[in-house]
Amino acid sequence: MKTINKSKKGFTLIELLIVVVIIGILAAIAIPNFISMVARAKDAAVKSNMHTLQVATEDFATYTHGIYPGGLGNTVNDIVDPDLPANPGNYSVTGSADEVTGGDLENAGTDPQSGEARLLPGNMKNPIRSDRTVVSSPGKVNWSTDNAGIISYQGYLPDGTQGSSGDACASYFIWGCGAKAMLTDSLSSGQ
């Protein structure tokens, strides 16, 4: 005769605890890596915004024969140079100076009242704060949680001193505030 073993099969308490400990160890390794990966992705998006600003600034310089704006709200017509041809578009990098510090670039395009055409796209967003406060000019913005994701622009006069709004500048620097600190990369004219 066959004897039937009626013992129940399943996990013992020790085996269950070992599985829970293994899952806990894997989570302790994966979660910090995921968080740092998200911060690196946000920093990369800030660098992309910096590059977009650089392209718009270089585009501005094509209308002014290599002269950069002192502030991003300056228009081509603000650059006083008798050798420049008339500029029917009245281009600026960001639009009015109020929008530079306020940062709302959503309404990009040509302003029908002033005829001012913006070179910076209006769909730029702050990748860290998820709002439209993206650029600051003139001057370097220092990192703080309030400035995370903001890129800043500063034009420099031919003698190397800082320019201000309305100045015709010979060079510029662009900085970015990352998720946790200032980005180590900066962009400048001639790059």
Side-chain angles (χ1 to χ4, degrees), residues 4 6 22 38 50 67 82 105 114 120 157 165 167 179-180:
I4 299 174
K6 295 185 179 182
I22 290 172
V38 168
M50 290 170 58
I67 298 171
L105 299 173
S114 67
L120 198 63
L157 299 171
S165 294
D167 287 339
K180 299 192 183 290

Side-chain angles (χ1 to χ4, degrees), residues 75 77 87-92 95-96 109-118:
T75 65
N77 292 342
N87 178 32
N90 198 21
Y91 294 101
S92 72
S96 70
T110 303
D111 183 351
Q113 293 177 342
S114 67
E116 183 178 296
R118 301 177 195 160

Side-chain angles (χ1 to χ4, degrees), residues 64-80:
T64 59
H65 298 263
I67 298 171
Y68 300 106
L72 296 177
N74 296 134
T75 65
V76 171
N77 292 342
D78 292 336
I79 305 295
V80 180

Side-chain angles (χ1 to χ4, degrees), residues 124-156:
M124 287 180 67
K125 291 182 180 177
N126 185 322
I128 297 170
R129 296 184 352 192
S130 298
D131 61 16
R132 294 203 177 269
T133 305
V134 179
V135 295
S136 176
S137 167
K140 181 178 182 180
V141 172
N142 291 321
W143 190 89
S144 69
T145 53
D146 290 339
N147 293 335
I150 292 180
I151 53 178
S152 55
Y153 171 90
Q154 176 64 60
Y156 289 91

